[in-house]
Amino acid sequence: MSDLSEKPIGVFDSGIGGLTVMRALTRRLPGESFVYLGDTARLPYGTKSPDTVTRYAVQCAGAVSEKGIKLLVVACNTASAVAIGPLTKALYPTPVIGVIEPGADAAVKAAPNGRIAVIATEGTVKGGAYMRAIKALKADAEVVQKACPLFVALAEEGLTEGDIPERVARHYLEDLLNVADKPDCLVLGCTHYPALSGVIARVAGPSIKLVDSAETTAEAVARLLSEHGLERRTAPTPPRFLATDAPERFARVGETFLGRHIDPAKIELIDL
Ligand code: DGL
């Protein structure tokens, strides 16, 4: 047993949305310990320039890495889309996994006709990372993308069901879906969108499969741990939460994303 395998898995996001990835990770890997950082002081990343997102993401990765981790999961789609290269370099030799490649892989598997729609933040859409990752796996895939910024605000407000999110979903998805050759699948390419998956699935209709990059990332992390012999062998410790601002809000809103109670008193406030 190497000491490394006993270390926690580090996870970071621009804020609380990455707790959807953490939720998938803890479900898939119940025997692991986790340390999660939400950069709540500087959210959102999705509207910022690639240079700024990269600078913030490298600072977050450094702060999580200081806690002593065996692997880093970049839960934020925007940071994964623009900064995975610099992050991998900054943390070497610690392995770094983003959410784009696992999401692209799942999308290709869920698209027998090769028609894939991706919804994400403005930054992720503009950078075209999902498009490139999907085309690398299936060169003739037809990929359409759309930024759905209001989904982030709706998820943070807890407005995940009912008339308002449904109308917003119709507004965003109409032109993606009202085409002769409908997409086979719709990639939820943002940490917040799984919180709205019920509404999105209803608007998309039963023929379009939703691809949640959180679940596919958890699967990729499980594979990587097993390949490197890094699975934890002793009982896990409770998750550690770090935030750069507003720990009380992190706990209150974060609970809905994580699906379990977060004690605000246990959130460590850090400065980057
Ligand atoms: N975490 C971001 C993402 O997955 C969404 C929120 C933000 O814009 O920071 O792209």
Side-chain angles (χ1 to χ4, degrees):
M1 173 174 59
S2 82
D3 280 337
L4 195 56
S5 64
E6 294 303 294
K7 291 189 172 170
I9 294 171
V11 183
F12 85 87
D13 177 47
S14 55
I16 52 173
L19 291 169
T20 56
V21 179
M22 176 91 159
R23 177 185 197 154
L25 283 164
T26 49
R27 271 196 194 146
R28 178 65 186 81
L29 298 161
E32 295 293 335
S33 302
F34 294 91
V35 48
Y36 179 98
L37 165 64
D39 192 7
T40 41
R42 303 187 294 194
L43 175 104
Y45 283 10
T47 50
K48 297 196 168 73
S49 70
D51 283 354
T52 298
V53 172
T54 301
R55 184 158 48 86
Y56 289 176
V58 169
Q59 287 171 349
C60 287
V64 179
S65 167
E66 269 175 23
K67 306 294 171 197
I69 54 168
K70 60 182 171 187
L71 181 143
L72 179 73
V73 180
V74 184
C76 179
N77 286 258
T78 310
S80 299
V82 303
I84 201 74
L87 287 168
T88 305
K89 204 164 149 200
L91 257 72
Y92 184 81
T94 304
V96 176
I97 291 196
V99 288
I100 305 282
E101 315 285 334
D105 186 45
V108 168
K109 289 183 179 133
N113 303 305
R115 289 196 292 271
I116 296 167
V118 179
I119 52 173
T121 65
E122 243 178 276
T124 302
V125 166
K126 265 195 205 143
Y130 268 108
M131 182 89 86
R132 281 192 300 282
I134 291 167
K135 296 264 188 193
L137 297 170
K138 189 169 169 56
D140 62 349
E142 287 170 39
V143 188
V144 288
Q145 307 185 92
K146 177 118 182 185
C148 305
L150 282 176
F151 282 167
V152 171
L154 287 170
E156 297 236 351
E157 280 292 313
L159 260 179
T160 55
E161 281 295 342
D163 186 45
I164 296 170
E166 190 145 335
R167 283 170 66 180
V168 174
R170 286 195 193 288
H171 163 75
Y172 284 136
L173 302 180
E174 219 158 46
D175 56 337
L176 287 185
L177 306 172
N178 284 346
V179 288
D181 289 331
K182 282 190 196 302
D184 300 309
C185 68
L186 182 61
V187 180
L188 306 180
C190 171
T191 47
H192 288 60
Y193 298 0
L196 290 147
S197 60
V199 163
I200 296 172
R202 268 197 304 284
V203 170
S207 66
I208 299 176
K209 195 167 186 276
L210 297 195
V211 172
D212 180 348
S213 56
E215 277 162 26
T216 53
T217 300
E219 211 43 62
V221 170
R223 252 193 329 270
L224 199 138
L225 290 180
S226 148
E227 278 162 18
H228 289 71
L230 283 176
E231 292 131 319
R232 189 181 173 97
R233 285 165 182 89
T234 60
T237 52
R240 253 178 105 174
F241 296 104
L242 318 170
T244 53
D245 197 13
E248 185 281 326
R249 184 174 192 279
F250 179 107
R252 181 168 38 85
V253 184
E255 281 183 1
T256 58
F257 288 80
L258 186 63
R260 59 194 253 205
H261 177 67
I262 303 173
D263 182 353
K266 295 234 168 83
I267 297 170
E268 297 166 47
L269 195 58
I270 63 159
D271 198 17
L272 295 177

